[in-house]
Amino acid sequence: MVEEAEKYTGDYKLVVNTSGSRVVLTKEIEDILAAKTNVHLYINGKITIAADASEDAINKLYFDDKNVQTTLTIVNKQVAKKEIKNCIDIFVEKTGSLITGNNNITAVKVVNAGTISTNVLTAQVENTGTINANAIYGDVSNNGTVTVQNNIYGNVTNFGKLSAKNIHG
């Protein structure tokens, strides 16, 4: 499919519909996409970023189409240089981390066993790992550590460590 997209000189939106849970963004696929910068890969379904992928592999995926909904699993460190949005679920495994800097994360649900560091997190959150955010919009179930510099806008169930300026639930 990527080779087919190479025939086009401009940007090419490649939407891959996945089924099952064995679809993996490997280092090999990442390298192909790096060489074909005109190909914008969207995953409509489930994808796991492989342990051997570079820490910026997530930037090879596109999330700006609300009609393409991704379930994303992260098993290693990923540093996103753009908004992560339009996801149904985001799973960050114990070995994984998702760092977005000043960018936001928007999903229906985020299940975190690793580390998330982001500006604004908008999702229903289940946490057993560590989350650092400026704000959270959504209900939070915490059995890990959550540090929010400003507010949580949602209901909170806390059995771990949690700090926030205010909780509006």
Side-chain angles (χ1 to χ4, degrees):
M1 287 184 281
V2 173
E3 289 167 0
E4 177 68 23
E6 187 178 41
K7 295 177 185 176
Y8 299 91
T9 56
D11 288 344
Y12 184 81
K13 180 178 181 177
L14 177 61
V15 178
V16 176
N17 294 304
T18 66
S19 62
S21 58
R22 294 184 178 212
V23 179
V24 179
L25 177 60
T26 63
K27 178 73 172 130
E28 179 183 9
I29 295 170
E30 178 189 355
D31 290 344
I32 291 168
L33 290 169
K36 298 177 180 4
T37 58
N38 67 312
V39 177
H40 297 182
L41 179 61
Y42 293 79
I43 302 297
N44 195 33
K46 297 178 182 179
I47 189 161
T48 298
I49 298 179
D52 71 340
S54 71
E55 69 178 37
D56 69 343
I58 196 167
N59 297 303
K60 305 296 188 285
L61 300 174
Y62 286 77
F63 302 97
D64 59 347
D65 185 338
K66 65 183 175 186
N67 296 314
V68 177
Q69 297 186 342
T70 305
T71 295
L72 180 63
T73 300
I74 297 172
V75 298
N76 68 352
K77 179 179 181 182
Q78 290 298 306
V79 179
K81 297 175 183 164
K82 57 186 169 186
E83 305 282 322
I84 306 299
K85 57 186 179 180
N86 299 313
C87 290
I88 297 171
D89 296 314
I90 298 175
F91 298 97
V92 180
E93 293 187 3
K94 195 172 194 174
T95 57
S97 62
L98 178 55
I99 302 162
T100 67
N102 290 327
N103 293 310
N104 303 326
I105 298 171
T106 303
V108 174
K109 185 176 185 180
V110 170
V111 178
N112 180 50
T115 302
I116 294 175
S117 180
T118 190
N119 183 33
V120 175
L121 175 57
T122 303
Q124 175 186 340
V125 178
E126 293 179 13
N127 182 56
T128 58
T130 302
I131 296 176
N132 293 299
N134 284 325
I136 295 177
Y137 290 85
D139 295 342
V140 177
S141 175
N142 180 45
N143 288 294
T145 302
V146 174
T147 305
V148 180
Q149 284 70 37
N150 291 302
N151 300 316
I152 297 174
Y153 298 93
N155 297 313
V156 174
T157 303
N158 183 42
F159 295 103
K161 296 178 183 177
L162 184 135
S163 68
K165 189 174 182 180
N166 289 301
I167 298 173
H168 303 279

